[in-house]
């Protein structure tokens, strides 16, 4: 293609941020930000509609010399693995603007500029085909996220922002060292596709695997480097939590798929049992922590640790069902958990409390809210007919095929998920309408429905007819596994 569609998708939010700097009226800022994210989503829809599902090759590619002296290029492209996440990121951009419409009432322009800037950087991560460009986007997005938590967060925002920044920066420094080692051992190139074709010695692969593991595990996050996540989620504004759960956590798992598996196949296979054990630990431990929470936002945050454990388990099952299930579950988690954080924000705007003990009987005063909350709660539980069921079923199938003990632990995690989610819904939505006596509760409005409905559509669409989504990833996953097992078995 000669039309730079991916560049337009990636940089349109940044152009929107530049336009916002010229505006003074807060309402104009909100509507302009919404307009740019809506157009960006329309372009992402066009990209996905034109995507060829029969090939594993990179599509919509663009390549231009950037720093040719050391082999750095401006290179963009998507395959079946990354296309879904470009689409998901564009979808959540507009939803974040809508979620911030009332919640953010000070420094609105600066907030929207940070939000749109981060949108560009996240899209750049999923589109980059040059390792240097990838790292620039990966690292730079910490700045707007740090500002969103530190400036517009809750009472403990400064502590949470520093903790988030330090954890992710420490992981990123190891990632940078790994990139430098990879550059010199991989033919002095930053081309991701060329590096994926290299056959590195096993000792180099092992060293790089653990350097990348720490960087990606912090992002996922995996136990024991997960402790930044609850603080960041609790203190972040609603849109910040949606972005964290919907996109940023996916970047760690995406790193495993884009770098660890294709570039370090022998090490990935050799250490797959370790990764499966860590995944099982995250599933069970995250579920137990969620079960003990009274803060609604903390419960959803800890549930993310458990659910992302299913993702890493699927990826390191290293079979077709597991990897496809892991990728689909990444998309599903972005939709479902992003929606749950949206619902936490909606009720917090009305009550200014997140204590589950202070809720009760919301169904009587906000039936539409509790109806949609039930849908997303059941989705998070992986009830048949919802999106998470398809992904979790594939992950469990692949996990049991890879390791029976890990599959059994994952089933225990699924049971814990049902326990804390059903308990949460019972306390929040059912029982006497005690919450109405303390707070002026109103049901969701048109703006909130506009944010909720797209997510509800994907919960049911993927749950009832997942074929279009699996078709997008199938060819790329099949090729990835062929390369991994082919390289691993050759030596």
């Amino acid at each position: 293609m000669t039309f730079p569609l991916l560049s337009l998708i990636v940089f349109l939010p940044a152009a929107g941020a530049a336009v916002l700097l010229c505006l003074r009226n807060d309402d104009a800022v909100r509507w302009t930000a919404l307009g740019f994210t809506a157009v960006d989503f329309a372009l992402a829809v066009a990209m996905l509609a034109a995507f060829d599902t029969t090939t594993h090759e990179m599509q919509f590619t663009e390549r231009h010399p950037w720093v040719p002296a050391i082999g750095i290029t401006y290179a963009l492209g998507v395959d079946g693995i990354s296309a879904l996440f470009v689409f998901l990121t564009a979808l959540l951009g507009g939803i974040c603007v809508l979620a911030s419409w009332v919640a953010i009432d000070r420094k609105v322009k600066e907030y929207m500029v940070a939000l749109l800037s981060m949108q560009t950087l996240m899209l750049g991560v999923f589109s980059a085909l040059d390792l240097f460009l990838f790292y620039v986007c990966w690292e730079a997005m910490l700045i707007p996220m740090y500002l969103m938590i530190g400036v517009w967060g809750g009472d403990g925002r400064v502590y949470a922002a520093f903790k988030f920044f330090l954890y992710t920066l420490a992981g990123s420094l190891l990632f940078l060292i790994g990139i430098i080692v990879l550059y010199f051992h991989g033919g002095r190139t930053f081309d991701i596709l060329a590096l994926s074709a290299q056959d590195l010695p096993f000792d180099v692969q092992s060293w790089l695997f653990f350097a990348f593991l720490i960087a990606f595990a912090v992002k996922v996050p995996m136990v024991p480097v997960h402790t930044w996540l609850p603080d960041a989620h609790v203190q972040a504004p609603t849109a910040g939590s949606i972005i964290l759960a919907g996109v940023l956590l996916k970047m760690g798992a995406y790193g495993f798929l884009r770098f660890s598996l294709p570039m370090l196949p022998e090490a990935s296979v050799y250490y797959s049992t370790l990764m499966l054990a860590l995944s099982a630990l995250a599933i069970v431990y995250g579920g137990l922590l969620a079960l003990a929470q009274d803060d609604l936002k903390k419960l959803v945050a800890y549930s993310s640790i458990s659910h992302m454990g299913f993702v890493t388990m699927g990826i390191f099952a290293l079979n077709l069902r597991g990897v496809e299930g892991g990728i689909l579950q990444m998309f599903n988690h972005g939709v479902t958990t992003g929606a749950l954080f949206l619902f936490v924000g909606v009720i917090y705007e009305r009550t200014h409390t997140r204590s589950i003990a202070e809720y009760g009987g919301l169904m009587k005063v906000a039936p539409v809210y509790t109806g949609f909350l039930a849908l997303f709660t059941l989705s998070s539980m992986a009830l048949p007919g919802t999106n998470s069921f398809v992904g979790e079923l594939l992950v469990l199938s692949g996990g049991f095929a890879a390791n029976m003990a890990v599959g059994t632990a994952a089933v225990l995690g699924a049971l814990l998920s049902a326990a804390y989610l059903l308990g949460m819904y019972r306390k929040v939505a059912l029982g006497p309408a005690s919450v109405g006596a303390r707070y002026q509760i109103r049901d969701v409005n048109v703006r909130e429905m506009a944010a909720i409905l797209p997510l509800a559509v994907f919960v049911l669409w993927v749950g009832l007819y997942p074929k279009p989504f699996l078709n997008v990833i199938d060819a790329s996953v099949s090729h990835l596994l062929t390369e991994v097992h082919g390289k691993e078995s050759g030596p």
Side-chain angles (χ1 to χ4, degrees):
M1 289 185 65
T2 56
F3 182 72
L5 179 60
L6 270 183
S7 287
L8 193 57
I9 292 172
V10 170
F11 289 103
L12 186 63
V19 172
L20 294 184
L21 292 174
C22 304
L23 303 177
R24 294 186 177 182
N25 182 271
D26 287 349
D27 285 336
V29 167
R30 293 183 179 102
W31 282 107
T32 303
L34 183 62
F36 272 94
T37 54
V39 174
D40 201 46
F41 176 61
L43 292 172
V45 171
M47 180 269 297
L48 204 57
F51 187 83
D52 183 1
T53 60
T54 63
T55 178
H56 68 271
E57 300 288 345
M58 290 291 172
Q59 301 178 44
F60 311 104
T61 54
E62 304 170 36
R63 287 187 180 275
H64 305 284
W66 188 4
V67 190
I70 54 174
I72 298 175
T73 59
Y74 171 80
L76 300 180
V78 292
D79 61 359
I81 295 172
S82 54
L84 272 185
F85 302 117
V86 171
F87 175 79
L88 176 64
T89 305
L91 168 67
L92 293 179
I95 290 171
C96 287
V97 173
L98 289 171
S100 307
W101 206 271
V102 174
I104 304 301
D105 56 3
R106 62 185 179 88
K107 299 183 182 295
V108 175
K109 178 169 67 175
E110 292 82 355
Y111 175 88
M112 291 297 179
V113 168
L115 181 62
L116 293 184
S117 300
M118 186 157 53
Q119 181 88 349
T120 282
L121 295 169
M122 293 186 300
L123 289 166
V125 165
F126 292 123
S127 305
L129 293 182
D130 182 272
L131 193 49
F132 182 84
L133 176 61
F134 178 94
Y135 185 77
V136 168
C137 294
W138 172 280
E139 194 71 4
M141 69 184 175
L142 298 181
I143 298 171
M145 192 70 225
Y146 171 81
L147 293 174
M148 287 180 70
I149 298 172
V151 177
W152 292 277
D155 294 337
R157 59 185 180 273
V158 175
Y159 170 78
F162 268 106
K163 192 173 183 180
F164 161 77
F165 192 84
L166 290 175
Y167 265 76
T168 49
L169 181 63
S172 296
L173 289 176
L174 277 173
F175 188 30
L176 177 60
I177 295 171
I179 289 173
I180 295 171
V181 172
L182 191 60
Y183 173 79
F184 285 106
H185 280 84
R188 295 178 181 267
T189 179
F190 289 102
D191 187 315
I192 290 175
L193 299 182
L195 290 169
S196 298
Q198 298 291 327
D199 285 323
L200 301 174
F202 180 74
D203 57 341
V204 175
Q205 287 194 31
S206 294
W207 191 95
L208 287 171
F209 182 87
F210 283 101
F212 288 174
L213 168 60
I214 295 172
F216 301 150
V218 170
K219 272 285 198 298
V220 169
M222 300 177 71
V223 178
V225 289
H226 66 286
T227 57
W228 65 268
L229 182 69
D231 293 316
H233 268 310
V234 168
Q235 299 302 327
T238 299
S241 292
I242 294 172
I243 291 172
L244 274 172
V247 183
L248 260 66
L249 306 191
K250 311 300 171 293
M251 291 180 179
Y254 179 76
F256 289 129
L257 291 163
R258 184 60 73 213
F259 300 107
S260 298
L261 266 61
M263 296 181 187
L264 317 170
E266 294 176 64
S268 296
V269 173
Y270 187 81
Y271 296 113
S272 61
T273 303
L274 169 66
M275 297 302 297
L276 289 173
L278 289 174
S279 301
L281 175 62
I283 291 170
V284 176
Y285 185 62
L288 289 172
L289 289 174
L291 193 61
Q293 299 307 311
D294 178 63
D295 185 301
L296 187 56
K297 210 172 189 183
K298 272 192 177 180
L299 185 149
V300 180
Y302 280 118
S303 77
S304 290
I305 297 171
S306 181
H307 290 147
M308 288 304 293
F310 280 97
V311 169
T312 52
M313 185 179 85
I315 291 172
F316 284 94
L318 296 178
N319 53 51
L320 186 64
R321 288 168 294 177
V323 177
E324 287 195 350
I327 294 171
L328 186 61
Q329 201 64 351
M330 289 164 68
F331 180 83
N332 292 337
H333 181 265
V335 170
T336 300
T337 307
L340 288 175
F341 278 117
L342 174 63
F343 274 75
V344 174
V346 167
I347 198 62
Y348 182 78
E349 288 177 15
R350 290 154 169 77
T351 63
H352 299 289
T353 180
R354 292 187 299 267
S355 175
I356 297 174
E358 294 190 34
Y359 296 135
L362 277 180
M363 183 174 286
K364 295 179 174 65
V365 293
V368 177
Y369 173 90
T370 51
F372 278 103
L373 178 61
L375 173 66
F376 292 112
T377 300
L378 295 174
S379 169
S380 191
M381 286 170 48
L383 189 79
T386 63
N387 55 344
S388 299
F389 172 75
V390 182
E392 201 164 297
L393 180 65
L394 288 170
V395 168
L396 287 172
S397 177
F400 271 109
N403 189 298
M404 186 68 70
V406 169
T408 304
V411 171
L412 175 59
L415 294 175
L416 288 171
S417 174
Y420 62 74
L421 287 167
L422 287 176
M424 177 273 293
Y425 189 80
R426 177 182 63 82
K427 294 174 183 176
V428 169
L430 306 178
S434 58
V435 70
R438 294 191 296 273
Y439 310 105
Q440 294 296 320
I441 300 294
R442 65 186 187 280
D443 216 335
V444 291
N445 56 36
V446 174
R447 171 184 58 83
E448 291 161 344
M449 282 297 295
I452 292 168
L453 282 176
L455 300 174
V457 167
F458 284 104
V459 165
L460 296 175
W461 186 358
V462 179
L464 298 174
Y465 189 59
K467 184 179 178 182
F469 301 88
L470 291 172
N471 283 348
V472 169
I473 64 178
D474 185 65
S476 295
V477 172
S478 297
H479 174 74
L480 173 63
L481 290 174
T482 300
E483 289 293 303
V484 169
H485 293 297
K487 288 181 180 178
E488 183 271 335
S489 61

